Amino acid sequence: MPDQLRSALMAAATTAADKRAVFRAGLTSGRIQRLPGAFNPLVATLIQRMGFEGGYVSGAVVSAELALPDIGLTTLTEVVERGRQIARVTDLPVLIDADTGFGEPMNAARTVTLLEDAGLAGCHIEDQVNPKRCGHLDGKAVVPVQDMVRRLRAAVSVRRDPGFVICARTDARGTEGLDAAIDRAKAYADAGADLIFTEALADAAEFAKFRAAVDVPLLANMTEFGKSELLSARTLEDLGYNAVIYPVTTLRLAMHAVEQGLAEIASTGTQSGLLDRMQHRARLYELLDYQRYDDFDSGIFTFTLSE
């Protein structure tokens, strides 16, 4: 009955602490941890079924789902709740985008406590000014190094589970240059960051230079249509990277398909020509574990007290 109950509630069997331990072990395993973006819990379920090492919740995607640009308009509450929904359904560790920590150092501290409570495996906090901008857009600005160090020290100091991964993201490559970004990464590691994420590196040579200069685990961002060359997971692993995110990929795939489908219905008046491009009802029910819900429900209604 306990296993059926977990399934019926769509709750992962793996505890948050265990997911964090798996994530930390993965970061030091020598094998790159692939974290596709999950724009909802169902996508997170599919990511697990497809054999990836973890999932990712993108701040840009949370914004886009609310039909907002990625310019710091989402709230801590909105981001935490989406992270909670996704972490709850998967046995994989989930890393979440916490933007700038949603304010000053004390805000960054509160952000970490709420994300821990929500079951996330880790978060990244960036060194942009408030309000932030998408990391692959021009017009960004970063705070002084000491301001970001204070954000990180606050975040690290309130962490209750030492397994929760705090990743420092720097956007300085686009504003101050690669060498300045490397210097910032070293300062952020000294402040207690477990993982470093340098946004918008240009190509394999820059990824390699960064790896050679920084000792802590590194995360690469392979987002489409941005400033970075799209490198394979194998290439990044060979370069010594420990994790890679594909933050908006699943949303872009889905929205392109939705747009094409709506255009077809608008022009023809029917979706009949789209059936071979749809996920079948049977596959959806399989992902939802529909049969186990039914089995659980039947077991409850046939339960009787012994005399």
Side-chain angles (χ1 to χ4, degrees):
M1 184 63 73
D3 287 341
Q4 287 184 329
L5 180 60
R6 277 195 295 268
S7 176
L9 296 177
M10 278 299 286
T14 307
T15 67
D18 286 345
K19 293 180 202 177
R20 292 165 189 160
V22 166
F23 189 35
R24 282 188 173 270
L27 291 175
T28 58
S29 67
R31 298 184 303 276
I32 195 161
Q33 305 299 289
R34 302 163 300 161
L35 313 177
F39 61 84
N40 63 29
L42 183 60
V43 174
T45 301
L46 186 57
I47 288 169
Q48 179 173 330
R49 299 281 183 93
M50 298 297 289
F52 288 94
E53 291 76 31
Y56 177 70
V57 181
S58 161
V61 167
V62 175
S63 295
E65 281 198 300
L66 296 171
L68 295 170
D70 184 21
I71 54 174
L73 295 175
T74 52
T75 67
L76 171 60
T77 302
E78 289 168 329
V79 172
V80 169
E81 186 53 33
R82 179 38 55 101
R84 184 193 317 279
Q85 292 168 348
I86 288 172
R88 186 175 65 86
V89 302
T90 179
D91 292 302
L92 298 179
V94 177
L95 178 71
I96 194 167
D97 179 355
D99 285 349
T100 60
F102 297 95
E104 298 304 315
M106 193 173 294
N107 299 96
R110 182 166 185 255
T111 295
V112 167
T113 63
L114 292 179
L115 293 174
E116 275 191 297
D117 289 344
L120 280 303
C123 70
H124 63 75
I125 297 173
E126 66 201 50
D127 58 6
Q128 282 198 52
V129 300
N130 288 307
K132 56 79 54 81
R133 293 173 62 85
C134 171
H136 287 256
L137 293 179
D138 295 324
K140 297 182 297 181
V142 292
V143 299
V145 174
Q146 277 305 116
D147 288 358
M148 178 60 175
V149 166
R150 292 187 187 99
R151 285 180 192 171
L152 291 171
R153 287 175 64 87
V156 170
S157 69
V158 301
R159 180 172 52 186
R160 291 156 293 169
D161 182 349
F164 186 86
V165 172
I166 294 178
C167 175
R169 167 177 147 180
T170 179
D171 285 68
R173 166 63 185 88
T175 60
E176 300 177 348
L178 183 61
D179 290 339
I182 290 171
D183 289 341
R184 281 176 175 261
K186 292 177 178 178
Y188 300 164
D190 289 342
D194 306 297
L195 180 65
I196 299 292
F197 167 12
T198 303
E199 183 65 292
L201 294 177
D203 52 29
E206 289 198 357
F207 280 96
K209 183 175 180 179
F210 208 90
R211 173 72 284 174
V214 179
D215 293 332
V216 298
L218 296 180
L219 179 145
N221 180 11
M222 289 292 102
T223 193
E224 306 83 14
F225 316 117
K227 296 181 180 294
S228 297
E229 175 187 1
L230 294 182
L231 304 173
S232 71
R234 175 60 64 84
T235 297
L236 289 166
E237 183 176 281
D238 290 345
L239 288 171
Y241 278 72
N242 308 85
V244 55
I245 56 173
Y246 306 91
V248 197
T249 307
T250 57
L251 180 68
R252 288 188 173 120
L253 288 167
M255 287 302 297
H256 181 66
V258 168
E259 188 170 358
Q260 288 189 322
L262 291 175
E264 173 83 7
I265 295 170
S267 64
T268 68
T270 177
Q271 75 274 44
S272 60
L274 299 169
L275 298 183
D276 63 348
R277 290 149 62 183
M278 292 184 183
Q279 183 184 64
H280 197 279
R281 182 197 301 264
R283 176 56 173 160
L284 176 59
Y285 284 2
E286 181 185 359
L287 289 175
L288 294 174
D289 240 347
Y290 201 103
Q291 184 60 51
R292 294 189 69 184
Y293 276 79
D294 193 48
D295 293 344
F296 173 77
D297 193 48
S298 297
I300 293 297
F301 277 95
T302 59
F303 175 78
T304 57
L305 290 172
S306 60
E307 296 295 333

